[in-house]
Each structure stands twice: as C-alpha cells, then as structure tokens.
Amino acid sequence: MYRTHTCGELTLNNVGQEVTLSGWIQTIRNLGGMTFITLRDRYGLTQLVFDDNTTSELKNKTRSLGREFVIKIEGKVVERSSKNPKMPTGEIEIHVEKLDILNQSEIPPFTIENETDGGDELRMKYRYLDLRREPLRKNLELRHRMGQEIRKYLDSVNFMEIETPYLIKSTPEGARDFIVPSRMNPGEFYALPQSPQTFKQLLMISGFDRYFQIVKCFRDEDLRADRQPEFTQIDCEMSFVGQEDVLKTFEGLANHLFYQIKGITFNEPYPRISYDDAMKYYGTDKPDLRFDMKISEISELVKGKGFKVFDSVAYIGAINAKGCGEYSRKQLDELTAFVQKPQVGAKGLVYVKCNPDGTFKSSVDKFYSQEDLKTWAEQLNAKAGDLLLVLAGNKMDTLYALNVLRIEMGERLGLRDKDQFAPCWVIDFPLLEWDEEEQRYFAMHHPFTSPKAEDIKLFDSDPGKMRANAYDFVINGVEIGGGSIRIYEGELQRKMFNALGISKKESEEKFGFLLDAFKYGAPPHGGIAFGFDRWCSVFGGSESIRDFIAFPKNNAGRDVMIDSPSKIDETQLKELSLKIVQK
Amino acid sequence: MYRTHTCGELTLNNVGQEVTLSGWIQTIRNLGGMTFITLRDRYGLTQLVFDDNTTSELKNKTRSLGREFVIKIEGKVVERSSKNPKMPTGEIEIHVEKLDILNQSEIPPFTIENETDGGDELRMKYRYLDLRREPLRKNLELRHRMGQEIRKYLDSVNFMEIETPYLIKSTPEGARDFIVPSRMNPGEFYALPQSPQTFKQLLMISGFDRYFQIVKCFRDEDLRADRQPEFTQIDCEMSFVGQEDVLKTFEGLANHLFYQIKGITFNEPYPRISYDDAMKYYGTDKPDLRFDMKISEISELVKGKGFKVFDSVAYIGAINAKGCGEYSRKQLDELTAFVQKPQVGAKGLVYVKCNPDGTFKSSVDKFYSQEDLKTWAEQLNAKAGDLLLVLAGNKMDTLYALNVLRIEMGERLGLRDKDQFAPCWVIDFPLLEWDEEEQRYFAMHHPFTSPKAEDIKLFDSDPGKMRANAYDFVINGVEIGGGSIRIYEGELQRKMFNALGISKKESEEKFGFLLDAFKYGAPPHGGIAFGFDRWCSVFGGSESIRDFIAFPKNNAGRDVMIDSPSKIDETQLKELSLKIVQK
C-alpha cells in the first residue's frame, strides 16, 4: 500500500497516528542534525522530519534524495513546535520511520514552485512538469469542477448530452477546416468540426428538444495570441423556444456556476443591452460592466467653433475619467501615446480637466470657451476633479479607440477587479453586415439566424436595418458565448439566402442535406455555444486561456512538448494517395 | 409560448386544465365525424381529439395536416372514455380549441414507428428521422444517463476530468493513425489520437493522481462489422496504486452504473478469472458467465482407443449441453454444419447423448464402449438427458470453436438473457506474445505494461511465461474495458524493450518524450480504458454499438447522411501543400 493519507489532510486530529504517505520531494533542508523534507502530492504539502531519533541508516538514505524524487514514507504524526498557519497541514509534521525511494528524478529544468524561474518556451516543452505547479493544478481543478457543474445543471433541466461526430465534411463557409484524408476512399477527405452547428440543428429536427455537449472544435486559422487550433465549446440547442426562453435557461446555467464555483449570487436578471447601445455607450459589443464610464457622443456640442479637427470628422466622443482631474502633463502624454498606438489608432487625444474651482483646463482652450467646456462636462456628468478624454474621427474607429481607452482607464483606476463579475446579454444584433469589398451582405451570425419578426418586412426595403434574434453572453468585457434563434421555415430561409445573394443552386451545394432535413418537420429552435476555455479563464481571473488547457499549442499551432506537427512516413502518405508538393 | 406541458406528462390529475402542446404528428385517424391525432415529442405521446364540438374552421384545418407535421395546439384535458393502459398519458386526451401549423413535412421515406419499414441504408441516410423513433431515442437517453453517472461517480472518488489534445503526433506502433495536414507547417502532420495513453501517463507524472476523460478516439482500420473509425472511451489512470486498487475502484464504478442504470446490486466482488483459466474453461478471454457449461478437456480419456481422429490431434474438448439429450438427427446435423462454418472452423462434431435409461448413444460408438463414454459423462458432470458435444484439433483453434459452440448452445437454451448481467475480471494476461512471422515477442497489451513482480526473473530464462499486471473487464462475454499497471522504473523498462527486441535508439525515436518525462519522478501508476459505446450497447441489450451512436459511420467508414468523406477544393489542397496521387 502506497499511502494511508494524502499530503493535504493531516491535522492535529491525527497526532499520534502511524501513517504512510507517498509523493514528490518539493524541498529538502538540512539544519544541523535535522533534515526537513516537504512532500507534495495533488492534495497538498506535508513536512517530514528526520531528527536525533532517526536511525543513522535512514539519515544516510536521505542524503541520496533530491528534488522531485518520488518517495513513500511511514512515520508518526506529531505536533509541530513552530507551526505554519499558511499551510493546511502546518500544525503537524511526520517523524519518519521508514523511507522507500519509489523513483528518482533528474534535476528539473525549472523550479516547481508557484513562482517559477522557467521561461514560457521551456515550460511548454516540459508541460508535464509545469503542471506540477499549484497555480496550473488549481486551474485544471477549476476546469474539472466547472465541467461537472455544467453537466449537473443542464442534466437537471432535461438537457441530453449527445456526442456528434468528429470526422465530418468540409464546408466552404466560415474559417478554414482541418481536413483528414481518408485511406479507404482515395482522394476524399473528412473535415474536423468548427462547431457541431449542423448536427445540433439535426438533433432538433430529430426531436431531441434540449441538447448539449462539451466538445472539442477545430479552426485552422492564422493564430493570434491566445487562440488555439483546438478549443472546447459548451454547445447547446433547444426546441420550441424563443429568444427569451434561451436567455432565461442559460442565465440559469450561469447563475448556477457563479454560485457553485465562485460563491456569488445574482438576485437580478443580467442586464440586456442592445447591440446599438453597447456600441454607443461602450464602443464594443462586449462591454465590461464592472465600471460605468460610458462613452458620450459630443459631436453636436463641439462642432462649428472653428476647431478644424472636430469640424472635419463624423464623430466626436468622450469618456469621463472620474477623479483624474489632477493628471500630470506626463500622464496625459502617456495616454496620448497610448491612443496613438497602431492597435488603438486614434490621431490624438483632447482632454478637459475639471478644476476644483469649477473652471476647466483643456488642450483646446483656444477654440472653446469655459461655457463651451461646461456643456461638455455637464453632458458627461463630470464634477470638479474629473477628467474628460475626447477622441474624434470616423464613427466606428473612434468608438473602437474609446473602448480601448475606457478599458485602460478602468485598469488604471482599479475598476477591473478580477474577483468581481458583471455578466450581461448583448442582444438585437444586426442580421446582416455589408461587405464593402464584395459589395454584398453577409450573415453577421450565420445564414440560419432568424430575423426579428417585426423586421422581416425590411427584407426588400432596407435589409441592413434588420435585427436578428441573436445574442451574446459577456462577462467583464469578455465574450463567453453567443447564439441565435434559427430560421426553421423554408420561405424565410429562401428570403435570407436571397438577401445574402446565395442562389438556390449554391444553397443546395453548401447546405444541401440540412435543407433536406428541414423539409421533414423542423421545429422552432435556437441555441447558444459557450467558449469553455474562455469561461474557465474568466472565472480563474486570468486573461490567458492557455493556462486552463492541460496541453495547449503555442502561437504557431505547435505542441512543442511532443513536437507536433511532424513529418510522417512516406508509406503512410502513399497509403493515403497523397504527395507533398514543394512550394 | 410553445407549450405549457410536454406530450408525456398529462394524466387524470390534469383533467379540466387548459394546456398548450407542441410536437410532431405521429398518426391521424378520421373516424366518422371525429379526428384523432397522436402528438409526439421527446417525452411521449398525447392523443388530440377534434369532435362534434370542434369548429368547422378548425376541422378544415386538420385536413391539411400530415404525418410529421409540427403543430402547436391549445385545448382542454379531458378524461378518455376508452383508456389506453399501455400509454402513460392513456387516460386523457385533449379537446383541441386552437391549432397552429408550425411546420409542414414531406412524407418521410420510412415510417417513424418502433418497428419501421425502412432498410438499413435508407435509415442511415435519413438518420435524423430514424432518431425520432423511440428505440433509438431511448438508446441515446441511456447513453446520456450513463455518461452523467460515470462522471458523478468518478468525481465523487476524486477523479479529475482533464481534456487531452486531439491534434497530436503520429506514432508508428499499433493501428493506423488518421492524420491531419498542417497548413502552417507544410509537409508536416498532426495525428488524431488512438487513445490518450501517453497523455494520461504524463498527467500521472504531473501528479494528477486520478484522471479520467470520456473522449473520442480514432483508428484508421479496415472496418469490420460493428467497428467505427471514431469511438468513445472512458479513459482512466491512477497513481500510487497496484492492480488490486484499480480493480476495486472500477468495480465501484461498475456497481454504481449497474445500480443507477439497471437497478441491479451485486453483493459479491466480481469473479476474477485468470487468462489461463478463461482459455481453459471458456475458450476465450471474454467468457460469458451468465451460464456455466464449462469446456472440459477429455484428451486423456479418449486417446488410444483406435479412433484416429482423436488420436491424431493435440486437443479434444467437450461441453455438456444440459437437457439436450433428445436432440434429433436434424438438430445434430445443424450443429455439425454450424461448427464446420469457416468462421468456426471445426472439422466435425462428435456427440454423446446421455439416455434416460443410463446408456449412451454417440456418433463414435464404434470406437468407445459404454464404459468409456461413462467416464466422459462423469468428467463433464452429465446426467441422463444431457448431450455432450466434442470437438478435436489443435488446441487454440479447438478452444476457439468450443467457445463459439458454447455461446450457440447458451443461445439455444435461453441462457443468455439480455436483462441478466454477469461481470467479471480476466487477469494475469501473458506479458508477451510470440509472433511466428516476425520471430519476436510483441507486448500483448503495450510496451509500458508491467510484469508481475514474481515473474521479472523470467525475463532472461522464459519471457513467454511472464504474466502481466494487466486486466480486462468483461460483461456477458463482451470486453468492456482493459488496462494495466504501467512500468515506471527505467531499469525495468529497458528490460522490457530488450525482450521486445527494441533497441535504445528505436525506443528513443518511438517513445522519446515519454521516456524523457519518466526521468523526472514518475510515480507508480496504472489505469484502464472502457469502450463507452460498447458498455452502452451491453446495458441496452443490443449487440450493435451503432444503435448507441447518434451519427455513426457505415461499414465503409462513410457518413452517408452528410456524404463524407468527400472531395475538397483544389485550393484547399494547395494551401496544405498536398497533391492527390492517382493509383
């Protein structure tokens, strides 16, 4: 037997007991005649002692030990003289009577501590050692817990988990598919799913009513920071529902997770913000509602006063950074440089300080009177001591920059506490997006997303104005999930394809078997998919999903631990009727 | 709102209530002035009535309805005059007051009934319609329930579900991998996992102690009946355990499932049968223990009596088919033809009838006296009225044939009740298998499976005799899972590679990064993997796993519903630096 207890459970209650523990050596300290070893397993740390009472044979044995050796010990639990209140087992230690070395360890390439000396690449290569560190272990424990609670909740409200296939068919829409050559069908390929979208809609047609799946999805995209070629979705679909039913159901799921995982109760429904309002007040469709600092358009107030920069642009907007009225020249220059970075893209920054004496000091005093500036301050609810930050330009780019600036100011003002959570629904998304390049509409969500009933009449007159039964779930400025009520009637689907410029022939080629299935009694249905990695990272208070994935790929899509992708045997390729083409 | 109730829940308690239901039209019957519709959803069936009190407008509307139309109705629950006790809602019906046609349906290509008129291929093509049938729905409900209970149990005993990657690396051992070309790394490939074996061992090295995952695995094999290129495993691994710990833990899981899913309690530990005994008594390493009918070798009793067939072979074995002593000539000829089928492979069948009067009648009376036959009967515990069936040949082939014959006789005698369950562990598997063709040993399980401690000494003298710490879990003659205690010490691993004729260089090429990982403190560990599809099918009382997979592939590895695999765009191939080679 390897252990009677784990390394995380012994307390004063166990004093006097003979125990057996197994684990890894975290640290060894020799103090005079005493040797202290911290033994680690998944459950915690326990201090082992070898002292004057230890046999010299056993003491000799400890000399051959090193960090990360796997040992099994037997000994007696004793009360510590100097207790460690930070450690759950800090009131006891084990007087070791027997020691077996189960396995040795080479010196690890970095220290297995909460704060490690290993760089990113090294820790990725030795991911199995990095995973020994408590922060990563806790992340995976959180992920496990969340997975369990998600399933428990969805099961309790009658959702069925149904596995959909991984070897499916390549579709020409959307992102690039990963493809899988078929040996048995030379020249033919499977594709890995970007999402189980079609299959979950088929399951609704099958009558499964309430489906979910926690499932891997795949996208062969040029990777940006914190994107993974394989990622996990909580994929859900319901029949005989409208938008409100879906939102309520999954607000139930989120509330369950908030309570079970974070101990947080929300007594009110989550705020529902229209896409238009989200863009108007936050400059983004994923607003961080942990703090207010809404964007306010001041175009009408500022135009026609001779300031060409403002007069020549379509949009001028501002935020009120409360209590920042005393910002120094240096701080303001920093902010200006910040908004001028290419990834923010503003031309410059106009500020208005609301002085304690009721006067204003701005970078555009030349053009605007104190009275003028007062109207700005009033619109932004600015009080003495506040700071207005103003950006100008074309509307969408400026809103984008204002959003980035707002987040930056929230960060600076400590308004983005990672232990505080502000969930919301963003609703009423536009149905269609105009593509300037291709001069046609695209579906903002996907071609099966239904328009609002009251907007259907706009199909012919003003399709760009149509709103969709589509919704996103956002926590702290991070999009956690999104979905829509689907089109289930043939006539409406044809109108949609029309608006998208998709011909009957094309629609049949692209969506043939799904359209076929719709002919046999499709129920009204809709659903949502959540990014599981992302949700875990937000609950874990981290910006990186990689820390919540056991074996992630790097930004080049490589697994540097197993060195994949890699070359394969020529015979393997031959069996697949494939040849590599040198570029 | 689409419904106040489902189609499975209304009873006499609801009489008088106004309800709204939505669902599919299962049947429409016109009886004189009355129309009866059976409305179906995932939860059941409810009868709708349109009678003399129905408005003519509504009655007209029913005329446009057809099978599988999706409708929403409002109406009043009334007690039925002629009740249907077979239907949970059979005591009530709904007097319909309002009817909305939510969607029409073309006439489905086969009937959506428990017994359908659709052939296999047709039902695969329209799988989404086949899934509307109750038997398939119940199968997926069972699968969902099992998935939930597996997770609940394993979580309750501290297992963590950890997702391992799908885009991994091709390994030259084992079955063929499916591979995935990498666009970003031209000429390089990922592989889809045949199992998460390496990753779960890495997780043990990471200290995760108790891991599990319900996970898709992939094998590019030439498909046999009831094999799928993608299948689902319950993959588990534990640290600081020996074989006994693993068996106990997963006997706990199986007992939980038996109780929660089938309502069955096992009060005794499952039988543990050594591989040798399983082969000896059942002719297979997956014995069906629902019935006894053990195989008995009678070589010593039958040789040297002048019957050349027996004298010339290595092995003669028999089973006792209880109560079959009255089998007719025709029945015995049938059995002879059965064992002579190529897939059974016996040369012929010898029988001995144990007559009611204590005499024996056999097909080899010429060679054996009544006394001789009596010794056979005694060894097989045969009583008057029993029938001995004897096969002869080389040992392994004859045991194989005796196993098939035993199962056939079990079937004929009704001893294989699908609602009765006989689980067992088969243990003490040989560590190595000799391959005649390659004239070398192969690992029976895999090269990381540990030998029994007491057999390690045989590495040099008699490796073929070594037994492994490997085990299979078998229910009703079906292998549900298998696993082993792994080798975790470098020295032993080298011995194993030696025995397998794998050089140091080769082992590093094949298992490099795993062997590296083993250098940093690998704990003793072992695990098991269960075939989830198979376990569901055994619990569901079916021989086919396909019925327990929502969207299976056919025997050629094709998904005929979505028509996959399929050709892809030339540009897609070009992006992947690949070219199809015509054979």
Side-chain angles (χ1 to χ4, degrees):
Chain A
M1 199 223 298
Y2 288 103
R3 55 186 174 189
T4 54
H5 296 78
T6 69
C7 294
E9 63 178 312
L10 296 172
T11 65
L12 283 180
N13 295 330
N14 303 92
V15 165
Q17 287 180 18
E18 292 287 336
V19 298
T20 305
L21 298 181
S22 287
W24 287 262
I25 295 180
Q26 174 95 0
T27 56
I28 308 179
R29 282 172 301 145
N30 285 299
L31 298 176
M34 315 258 283
T35 300
F36 293 95
I37 289 180
T38 313
L39 192 67
R40 186 193 68 235
D41 68 9
R42 175 183 142 199
Y43 308 91
L45 301 166
T46 298
Q47 178 159 291
L48 313 178
V49 189
F50 304 77
D51 63 10
D52 294 345
N53 301 320
T54 310
T55 65
S56 56
E57 189 200 344
L58 199 48
K59 275 200 173 164
N60 283 335
K61 215 170 183 179
T62 65
R63 289 204 189 95
S64 65
L65 297 175
R67 274 199 291 140
E68 302 304 320
F69 274 44
V70 188
I71 61 171
K72 170 181 138 178
I73 60 98
E74 293 171 36
K76 188 179 273 184
V77 183
V78 296
E79 183 169 358
R80 277 208 216 176
S81 49
S82 70
K83 300 193 170 56
N84 181 349
K86 285 186 197 147
M87 213 171 143
T89 64
E91 298 192 301
I92 58 97
E93 58 195 10
I94 314 289
H95 276 216
V96 178
E97 290 147 12
K98 194 162 178 293
L99 165 70
D100 290 321
I101 299 175
L102 298 176
N103 219 339
Q104 305 190 324
S105 173
E106 293 189 4
I107 293 165
F110 50 85
T111 55
I112 316 285
E113 305 276 355
N114 289 4
E115 299 295 325
T116 176
D117 56 358
D120 241 29
E121 276 298 303
L122 194 65
R123 287 188 292 118
M124 286 285 274
K125 183 168 158 61
Y126 294 92
R127 183 72 172 181
Y128 49 88
L129 296 180
D130 206 22
L131 287 173
R132 285 188 188 166
R133 297 191 309 114
E134 184 178 299
L136 279 179
R137 201 192 69 226
K138 293 250 182 256
N139 288 352
L140 294 193
E141 281 170 359
L142 171 74
R143 188 179 177 114
H144 164 69
R145 202 66 269 135
M146 284 186 65
Q148 292 296 113
E149 291 298 336
I150 288 163
R151 289 191 162 95
K152 200 192 285 179
Y153 182 81
L154 291 176
D155 179 51
S156 79
V157 293
N158 263 325
F159 280 80
M160 277 174 69
E161 186 162 24
I162 301 175
E163 294 170 57
T164 53
Y166 277 77
L167 296 173
I168 63 165
K169 189 175 178 163
S170 195
T171 50
E173 287 275 291
R176 271 193 210 84
D177 289 318
F178 281 106
I179 60 156
V180 182
S182 164
R183 181 178 54 87
M184 308 239 281
N185 305 276
E188 296 193 337
F189 299 82
Y190 302 99
L192 299 178
Q194 296 184 31
S195 89
Q197 183 66 32
T198 356
F199 288 95
K200 71 176 175 176
Q201 292 196 246
L202 288 176
L203 286 171
M204 293 306 107
I205 294 171
S206 296
F208 280 98
D209 215 50
R210 293 185 158 209
Y211 142 93
F212 84 101
Q213 193 181 187
I214 301 184
V215 62
K216 275 277 173 75
C217 300
F218 304 85
R219 269 177 218 171
D220 183 11
E221 293 176 303
D222 298 317
L223 296 168
R224 289 185 264 148
D226 216 31
R227 279 274 180 110
Q228 291 280 322
E230 53 176 304
F231 55 96
T232 306
Q233 282 195 353
I234 310 161
D235 191 50
C236 309
E237 195 81 3
M238 306 170 76
S239 290
F240 302 116
V241 291
Q243 173 169 313
E244 198 48 38
D245 303 300
V246 176
L247 299 196
K248 268 199 195 121
T249 303
F250 293 100
E251 202 160 312
L253 171 64
N255 274 329
H256 178 82
L257 291 180
F258 271 119
Y259 181 70
Q260 293 294 333
I261 307 289
K262 307 299 295 180
I264 295 170
T265 307
F266 290 95
N267 295 313
E268 300 291 320
Y270 302 166
R272 287 163 196 206
I273 301 169
S274 73
Y275 172 84
D276 285 347
D277 280 354
M279 293 309 294
K280 183 173 168 186
Y281 294 123
Y282 304 98
T284 173
D285 56 2
K286 338 184 226 294
D288 184 346
L289 298 189
R290 280 175 296 185
F291 62 107
D292 195 33
M293 204 187 289
K294 285 198 192 72
I295 295 166
S296 191
E297 178 172 1
I298 55 169
S299 306
E300 297 212 348
L301 296 181
V302 303
K303 286 198 175 229
K305 306 277 177 166
F307 182 43
K308 282 208 182 120
V309 173
F310 283 179
D311 285 350
S312 66
V313 299
Y315 175 92
I316 305 106
I319 56 171
N320 172 10
K322 287 221 157 282
C324 298
E326 311 270 329
Y327 260 34
S328 65
R329 181 78 247 164
K330 185 163 165 272
Q331 285 174 302
L332 291 166
D333 286 349
E334 258 174 39
L335 284 181
T336 306
F338 176 81
V339 297
Q340 286 175 334
K341 285 195 298 187
Q343 59 270 43
V344 186
K347 291 264 168 19
L349 176 72
V350 166
Y351 70 84
V352 181
K353 289 180 174 182
C354 306
N355 294 327
D357 62 2
T359 64
F360 302 96
K361 167 80 194 104
S362 90
S363 50
V364 288
D365 282 345
K366 236 194 288 182
F367 303 100
Y368 298 96
S369 67
Q370 288 286 316
E371 267 317 296
D372 288 337
L373 298 176
K374 196 174 170 204
T375 61
W376 304 13
E378 276 169 9
Q379 179 166 327
L380 279 132
N381 265 320
K383 303 274 172 295
D386 291 353
L387 173 70
L388 304 187
L389 298 170
V390 184
L391 298 181
N394 79 56
K395 187 167 176 179
M396 290 317 284
D397 293 343
T398 308
L399 280 170
Y400 172 81
L402 278 165
N403 162 47
V404 181
L405 180 61
R406 176 179 176 271
I407 296 297
E408 171 68 14
M409 292 312 299
E411 200 67 52
R412 287 181 180 227
L413 292 170
L415 302 172
R416 305 183 75 223
D417 177 358
K418 69 184 181 49
D419 294 321
Q420 199 199 319
F421 295 91
C424 70
W425 293 103
V426 178
I427 57 174
D428 297 347
F429 277 83
L431 182 70
L432 305 168
E433 262 178 322
W434 181 254
D435 188 282
E436 270 304 323
E437 209 167 305
E438 298 206 19
Q439 286 286 309
R440 75 166 179 99
Y441 283 110
F442 276 84
M444 191 151 180
H445 196 66
H446 59 59
F448 298 98
T449 295
S450 66
K452 297 261 172 224
E454 61 268 34
D455 291 355
I456 291 180
K457 59 178 184 294
L458 299 174
F459 255 127
D460 299 317
S461 54
D462 196 356
K465 275 260 159 56
M466 296 177 79
R467 291 161 308 152
N469 290 311
Y471 31 81
D472 276 0
F473 181 53
V474 174
I475 303 177
N476 294 0
V478 180
E479 183 193 326
I480 300 292
S484 68
I485 301 297
R486 327 298 180 189
I487 298 172
Y488 66 97
E489 312 102 315
E491 182 50 32
L492 190 55
Q493 190 65 62
R494 267 186 294 281
K495 278 192 179 164
M496 182 68 172
F497 283 144
N498 252 341
L500 297 172
I502 299 176
S503 70
K504 190 152 186 258
K505 185 161 165 284
E506 201 182 345
S507 73
E508 266 157 27
E509 274 169 22
K510 283 183 177 171
F511 312 104
F513 78 93
L514 186 58
L515 295 178
D516 268 354
F518 272 107
K519 291 177 193 157
Y520 293 99
H525 64 289
I528 193 165
F530 300 95
F532 186 41
D533 311 297
R534 184 64 63 199
W535 202 338
C536 290
S537 78
V538 167
F539 268 32
S542 165
E543 306 244 314
S544 159
I545 61 170
R546 208 194 269 176
D547 296 342
F548 294 79
I549 296 171
F551 299 102
K553 310 258 185 304
N554 73 7
N555 281 345
R558 290 200 76 82
D559 185 328
V560 295
M561 180 183 75
I562 62 172
D563 189 26
S564 169
S566 61
K567 302 238 179 301
I568 59 171
D569 280 2
E570 201 52 48
T571 52
Q572 248 175 310
L573 275 180
K574 212 166 173 181
E575 281 190 327
L576 297 168
S577 312
L578 285 179
K579 212 179 123 178
I580 295 169
V581 184
Q582 307 296 341
K583 270 184 188 162
Chain B
M1 199 222 299
Y2 288 103
R3 55 187 175 189
T4 54
H5 296 77
T6 70
C7 294
E9 63 179 311
L10 295 172
T11 65
L12 283 180
N13 295 329
N14 303 93
V15 166
Q17 287 179 15
E18 291 288 334
V19 299
T20 306
L21 298 180
S22 289
W24 287 262
I25 294 179
Q26 174 95 3
T27 55
I28 308 179
R29 282 172 302 145
N30 286 298
L31 298 177
M34 315 259 284
T35 300
F36 294 95
I37 289 179
T38 313
L39 192 66
R40 185 191 70 234
D41 67 12
R42 174 182 143 201
Y43 309 91
L45 301 167
T46 298
Q47 177 159 295
L48 313 178
V49 189
F50 303 77
D51 63 9
D52 293 346
N53 301 319
T54 310
T55 64
S56 57
E57 191 201 341
L58 200 49
K59 275 198 171 165
N60 281 336
K61 215 168 182 180
T62 65
R63 288 204 190 96
S64 65
L65 297 175
R67 272 201 291 140
E68 301 305 319
F69 274 42
V70 187
I71 62 171
K72 171 181 140 181
I73 61 97
E74 293 171 37
K76 187 178 270 183
V77 183
V78 297
E79 183 169 357
R80 275 206 217 180
S81 50
S82 70
K83 299 193 170 55
N84 181 347
K86 284 186 197 146
M87 213 171 144
T89 62
E91 297 191 301
I92 57 95
E93 58 195 7
I94 314 290
H95 275 219
V96 178
E97 289 147 13
K98 194 164 177 296
L99 165 70
D100 289 321
I101 300 174
L102 298 175
N103 219 340
Q104 304 191 322
S105 172
E106 294 189 3
I107 293 164
F110 49 85
T111 56
I112 315 286
E113 304 275 356
N114 289 5
E115 300 293 328
T116 175
D117 56 358
D120 242 27
E121 277 298 302
L122 194 65
R123 285 187 294 117
M124 286 285 272
K125 182 167 161 56
Y126 294 92
R127 183 71 171 182
Y128 49 88
L129 295 180
D130 205 21
L131 287 173
R132 285 188 188 165
R133 296 192 309 116
E134 183 177 301
L136 279 178
R137 201 191 68 226
K138 292 247 181 262
N139 288 351
L140 294 193
E141 281 170 359
L142 171 74
R143 187 179 177 114
H144 164 70
R145 201 68 264 136
M146 285 186 66
Q148 291 295 115
E149 290 299 336
I150 288 162
R151 289 191 163 95
K152 200 191 285 181
Y153 181 81
L154 291 175
D155 180 51
S156 78
V157 292
N158 263 327
F159 280 80
M160 274 172 70
E161 187 163 23
I162 300 176
E163 294 170 57
T164 52
Y166 278 78
L167 296 174
I168 64 166
K169 190 174 175 162
S170 195
T171 49
E173 287 276 288
R176 272 194 208 85
D177 290 316
F178 281 105
I179 60 157
V180 182
S182 165
R183 181 179 53 87
M184 310 239 280
N185 306 275
E188 297 193 338
F189 298 82
Y190 304 98
L192 298 179
Q194 295 184 33
S195 88
Q197 183 66 31
T198 359
F199 287 96
K200 71 177 175 176
Q201 292 196 245
L202 289 176
L203 286 171
M204 294 306 106
I205 294 171
S206 297
F208 280 98
D209 215 48
R210 293 184 158 209
Y211 141 92
F212 83 101
Q213 193 181 189
I214 302 184
V215 62
K216 274 279 172 75
C217 299
F218 305 86
R219 267 176 218 170
D220 184 12
E221 294 176 304
D222 298 318
L223 297 168
R224 290 184 263 147
D226 217 29
R227 280 274 179 110
Q228 290 281 321
E230 53 176 304
F231 54 97
T232 306
Q233 281 195 351
I234 310 162
D235 191 51
C236 309
E237 195 82 4
M238 308 170 74
S239 290
F240 302 116
V241 291
Q243 173 169 314
E244 197 49 35
D245 302 300
V246 177
L247 299 196
K248 268 197 194 126
T249 302
F250 292 99
E251 202 159 312
L253 170 65
N255 274 330
H256 178 83
L257 290 181
F258 272 120
Y259 181 70
Q260 293 295 333
I261 307 289
K262 306 300 294 181
I264 295 170
T265 307
F266 290 95
N267 295 312
E268 299 291 320
Y270 301 165
R272 286 162 199 207
I273 302 169
S274 72
Y275 172 84
D276 285 348
D277 280 354
M279 293 309 294
K280 183 171 168 189
Y281 294 123
Y282 303 98
T284 173
D285 56 3
K286 337 184 226 294
D288 184 345
L289 300 188
R290 280 175 296 184
F291 62 105
D292 194 34
M293 206 189 286
K294 284 198 192 69
I295 295 167
S296 192
E297 179 171 3
I298 55 170
S299 306
E300 298 213 345
L301 296 181
V302 304
K303 286 195 173 233
K305 305 279 177 164
F307 183 42
K308 283 210 179 117
V309 172
F310 284 178
D311 286 349
S312 65
V313 297
Y315 175 93
I316 305 105
I319 56 172
N320 172 10
K322 289 222 156 280
C324 298
E326 311 269 329
Y327 259 33
S328 65
R329 182 78 249 162
K330 185 164 164 271
Q331 284 174 303
L332 290 165
D333 286 349
E334 258 175 36
L335 283 180
T336 306
F338 175 80
V339 299
Q340 286 175 333
K341 285 194 300 184
Q343 58 269 45
V344 186
K347 292 265 169 20
L349 175 72
V350 166
Y351 70 84
V352 181
K353 288 180 171 182
C354 306
N355 295 327
D357 62 1
T359 64
F360 300 94
K361 168 79 191 102
S362 91
S363 48
V364 288
D365 283 345
K366 237 194 288 182
F367 304 98
Y368 298 96
S369 67
Q370 288 287 314
E371 266 320 294
D372 290 335
L373 298 176
K374 195 174 171 200
T375 63
W376 305 11
E378 275 168 7
Q379 178 164 329
L380 279 132
N381 266 320
K383 304 275 171 293
D386 291 351
L387 173 71
L388 304 187
L389 298 170
V390 185
L391 298 181
N394 80 56
K395 188 167 177 179
M396 291 316 285
D397 292 343
T398 310
L399 279 170
Y400 172 81
L402 279 165
N403 163 48
V404 181
L405 180 60
R406 175 180 176 270
I407 296 297
E408 171 69 15
M409 292 313 296
E411 200 65 53
R412 286 181 181 227
L413 292 170
L415 302 172
R416 304 183 78 223
D417 178 355
K418 69 183 180 52
D419 294 320
Q420 198 197 321
F421 294 92
C424 70
W425 293 103
V426 178
I427 57 174
D428 298 346
F429 277 84
L431 183 69
L432 305 168
E433 261 178 323
W434 180 255
D435 187 284
E436 270 304 325
E437 209 167 303
E438 298 205 19
Q439 286 287 308
R440 75 167 179 98
Y441 282 110
F442 276 83
M444 191 151 179
H445 197 65
H446 59 60
F448 298 98
T449 295
S450 66
K452 297 260 170 222
E454 60 268 34
D455 290 357
I456 291 180
K457 58 179 188 290
L458 300 174
F459 255 128
D460 299 319
S461 55
D462 196 354
K465 276 262 159 56
M466 297 178 77
R467 292 162 307 154
N469 290 311
Y471 31 81
D472 275 359
F473 181 55
V474 174
I475 302 176
N476 293 1
V478 180
E479 183 194 327
I480 300 292
S484 70
I485 300 297
R486 326 298 179 187
I487 298 173
Y488 66 98
E489 311 103 315
E491 183 48 33
L492 190 56
Q493 190 64 62
R494 268 185 295 279
K495 278 191 177 161
M496 182 68 173
F497 284 146
N498 252 342
L500 296 173
I502 298 178
S503 71
K504 190 151 186 259
K505 183 159 165 286
E506 200 182 345
S507 72
E508 267 157 25
E509 275 169 18
K510 282 184 178 171
F511 311 105
F513 79 92
L514 186 58
L515 295 177
D516 268 354
F518 272 106
K519 291 176 191 158
Y520 294 99
H525 63 287
I528 194 167
F530 300 95
F532 186 43
D533 310 298
R534 183 64 63 201
W535 202 337
C536 290
S537 79
V538 168
F539 269 31
S542 166
E543 306 242 315
S544 159
I545 61 170
R546 209 194 270 177
D547 295 342
F548 294 79
I549 296 172
F551 300 103
K553 310 259 185 299
N554 73 7
N555 281 345
R558 293 200 73 83
D559 184 329
V560 294
M561 180 184 73
I562 62 173
D563 189 26
S564 171
S566 61
K567 302 237 181 302
I568 59 171
D569 279 2
E570 201 52 49
T571 53
Q572 246 175 312
L573 274 180
K574 213 167 173 181
E575 280 191 327
L576 297 168
S577 312
L578 286 177
K579 211 180 123 176
I580 295 169
V581 184
Q582 307 296 343
K583 270 184 183 156

